Amino acid sequence: MSVVIPVAHDIVCPWCYVGHAQARRLEQEFGVSFDWIGYELYPEPMPFDDGTPPPPPPPANKPKTPSRFQLMLAAENMELPKVSRPSPIRSHDALAALEFAKAHGDINPLLDAVYHARWAEGQDIGQRQVVLNLAEACGLDRAALNEALEDRRYASLIIPFDDEAHEKGVWNVPTFWIGEERYAEQPYRVLAKAMREHLGA
């Protein structure tokens, strides 16, 4: 049985798009598997806009500098697909559908499908019908999933931001638990080093 690494994630987060790719690399390199735990960044009724005013524009003669996320993409040799995506959106149904998939055998086909739909195709995974279509294409029972979503059957398994997430030690997604440590928004090199130490490789 492979070592299971918990990871906190939300499909709508661009850092988790990178984290999903990192997890697939870790699986190939170390033979581990992952327990994907939904941490919902925008649970209802949290407003999308927290009221923070935008930063002032930089001086016109100041050279551009990369953001933390741009540096992460460069470190991972990745780019975000250039598609239009609805934003912001709520991810509860998508995260609940992943719990449904987990309970019915294998989360991975739907996990890959929702990340691809959101980031490569620009689909609105905040819409229930989109989630149901993706799940059905992965061989899951559409009617049973819709009933589970209506009943909010898996709501207790999804951790909402901010307070509940912070209580569990998750301040950023993705967060990987490797051994006794948490690794949040880290480059693959750091995760691989932690994995080698954890596995004694």
Side-chain angles (χ1 to χ4, degrees):
M1 182 177 294
S2 67
V3 172
V4 178
I5 304 297
V7 55
H9 79 116
D10 189 342
I11 307 111
V12 301
C13 172
W15 291 85
C16 291
Y17 171 72
V18 176
H20 174 255
Q22 291 174 327
R24 294 299 182 236
R25 288 181 65 187
L26 291 168
E27 287 174 341
Q28 293 180 359
E29 184 172 350
F30 297 99
V32 296
S33 58
F34 290 88
D35 179 17
W36 295 88
I37 306 167
Y39 276 72
E40 190 176 2
L41 288 173
Y42 300 108
E44 292 183 334
M46 178 189 287
F48 289 122
D49 183 357
D50 64 4
T52 302
N61 65 344
K62 181 181 179 181
K64 291 182 179 180
T65 56
S67 67
R68 286 181 58 244
F69 184 64
Q70 289 169 330
L71 288 172
M72 171 66 108
L73 288 173
E76 302 301 292
N77 195 28
M78 292 179 65
E79 293 184 359
L80 282 183
K82 292 178 172 60
V83 299
S84 176
R85 301 178 194 89
S87 185
I89 60 176
R90 302 199 191 273
S91 58
H92 186 88
D93 277 358
L95 293 171
L98 291 174
E99 292 296 336
F100 178 91
K102 191 187 301 184
H104 288 78
D106 186 3
I107 191 178
N108 287 297
L110 184 57
L111 182 76
D112 292 346
V114 292
Y115 269 102
H116 183 80
R118 165 68 175 164
W119 294 103
E121 298 177 347
Q123 292 195 52
D124 186 354
I125 57 104
Q127 297 296 318
R128 180 169 295 180
Q129 291 305 312
V130 172
V131 173
L132 291 172
N133 290 343
L134 293 169
E136 186 174 29
C138 291
L140 294 167
D141 186 320
R142 184 188 187 99
L145 172 57
N146 187 57
E147 181 180 335
L149 296 177
E150 286 287 343
D151 295 345
R152 295 183 64 83
R153 196 173 302 161
Y154 297 97
S156 64
L157 301 179
I158 300 168
I159 314 302
F161 268 80
D162 288 315
D163 293 346
E164 291 188 42
H166 294 171
E167 287 173 7
K168 293 184 177 294
V170 174
W171 295 74
N172 309 84
V173 287
T175 293
F176 293 81
W177 283 264
I178 303 175
E180 299 299 318
E181 300 295 331
R182 288 164 291 158
Y183 296 85
E185 298 180 353
Q186 293 290 339
Y188 185 80
R189 178 179 57 82
V190 172
L191 299 176
K193 181 176 183 290
M195 196 70 72
R196 283 191 291 270
E197 293 174 352
H198 178 53
L199 298 175

